[in-house]
Amino acid sequence: MKHYAVSDLHLFHKNIIKYSTLPFKSVEELNQTWARMLDGVQAEDIVWFLGDLALAKTTSKALNNVFSSFKGQKFLIRGNHDLLPDKAYINCGFQVLDKLFALVDIEMNGLYRFILCHYPPDSKEYDQLVAEDILNAWVQQEAINPALKTFWLHGHTHTRTPQPKNPDAINVCIDFRYHAKQPIFCFEDFIATHLRNPPLTNC
């Protein structure tokens, strides 16, 4: 079993094609391309969707078909464009968190902790909506089981700000990953790379 994180699919959002300078001629091509990027997920895998799944205020058969086609155990952390009621996502196999963030621990030669949130840590939305709650949850987790390292996975910035100032914050927006010719973010693959290439430290 592997763990994945992806954000800002903006399914059926025509304007995102221009906004993120994507080479697609239609929302159908957008939807199909993102589905292919998620195609490597297996049924037993866990996929965290960090907000802005689709630009929709009502459900449709086409939207439900795309939602339902995504494999794995699907968890949604809402972003600013996730406007459908919980039931619309649940009916398509998603579990919807009642908070705007989650902490995920991965054990691989030590414990690595990931903060998952739609908003990056240097944004006004983070300061206004989640900063205090995330800090409290992280402090409690660290007191119980300290991690070797904590990383922050976020969406929201698309291709405008590929990487925030914080070097431990990682942009998992699908349009950014597409432009960078990177697969969707896999926790285990990232940790394996981090272990092979640890950051240099000052003596």
Side-chain angles (χ1 to χ4, degrees):
M1 182 181 73
K2 286 190 171 184
H3 298 73
Y4 295 91
V6 66
S7 184
D8 292 84
L9 278 70
H10 281 257
L11 300 167
F12 295 94
H13 186 182
K14 186 176 181 180
N15 286 341
I16 203 68
I17 296 173
K18 181 178 180 180
Y19 180 80
S20 294
T21 61
L22 295 164
F24 307 144
K25 293 184 172 65
S26 65
V27 291
E28 289 77 19
E29 187 178 358
L30 171 86
N31 297 345
Q32 290 166 8
T33 303
W34 293 167
R36 284 196 298 271
M37 287 184 70
L38 287 158
D39 198 44
V41 173
Q42 303 300 310
E44 69 274 13
D45 295 335
I46 293 175
V47 187
W48 291 91
F49 291 84
L50 307 190
D52 289 8
L53 259 178
L55 188 71
K57 293 182 180 180
T58 59
T59 59
S60 67
K61 183 177 180 180
L63 183 64
N64 289 345
N65 286 343
V66 178
F67 280 175
S68 299
S69 72
F70 296 147
K71 293 178 289 187
Q73 304 172 60
K74 301 176 289 193
F75 292 84
L76 173 63
I77 297 174
R78 287 181 179 271
N80 51 302
H81 287 295
D82 297 302
L83 305 177
L84 296 172
D86 286 357
K87 185 178 179 180
Y89 303 106
I90 293 168
N91 287 344
C92 296
F94 288 87
Q95 298 183 52
V96 183
L97 269 69
D98 58 2
K99 297 183 294 185
L100 295 178
F101 70 94
L103 300 183
V104 174
D105 290 349
I106 304 290
E107 178 70 41
M108 280 182 62
N109 297 320
L111 182 68
Y112 291 85
R113 181 157 290 137
F114 293 85
I115 299 170
L116 280 56
C117 182
H118 180 68
Y119 304 106
D122 53 359
S123 66
K124 68 179 185 298
E125 293 91 350
Y126 161 74
D127 290 333
Q128 294 169 356
L129 299 173
V130 293
E132 185 175 354
D133 290 339
I134 287 176
L135 178 60
N136 289 339
W138 181 81
V139 168
Q140 290 176 20
Q141 283 288 92
E142 283 290 303
I144 297 168
N145 198 4
L148 293 175
K149 184 77 174 175
T150 296
F151 296 96
W152 186 295
L153 305 184
H154 74 88
H156 194 54
T157 58
H158 292 276
T159 54
R160 300 192 313 277
T161 310
Q163 191 65 22
K165 296 174 184 177
N166 183 343
D168 296 327
I170 300 162
N171 184 346
V172 299
C173 287
I174 198 165
D175 49 358
F176 167 66
R177 310 288 292 189
Y178 174 84
H179 278 299
K181 295 181 169 51
Q182 297 173 348
I184 64 169
F185 184 88
C186 173
F187 293 67
E188 288 81 4
D189 292 350
F190 172 80
I191 294 171
T193 300
H194 182 78
L195 290 173
R196 286 196 301 269
N197 303 291
L200 297 175
T201 56
N202 295 323
C203 298

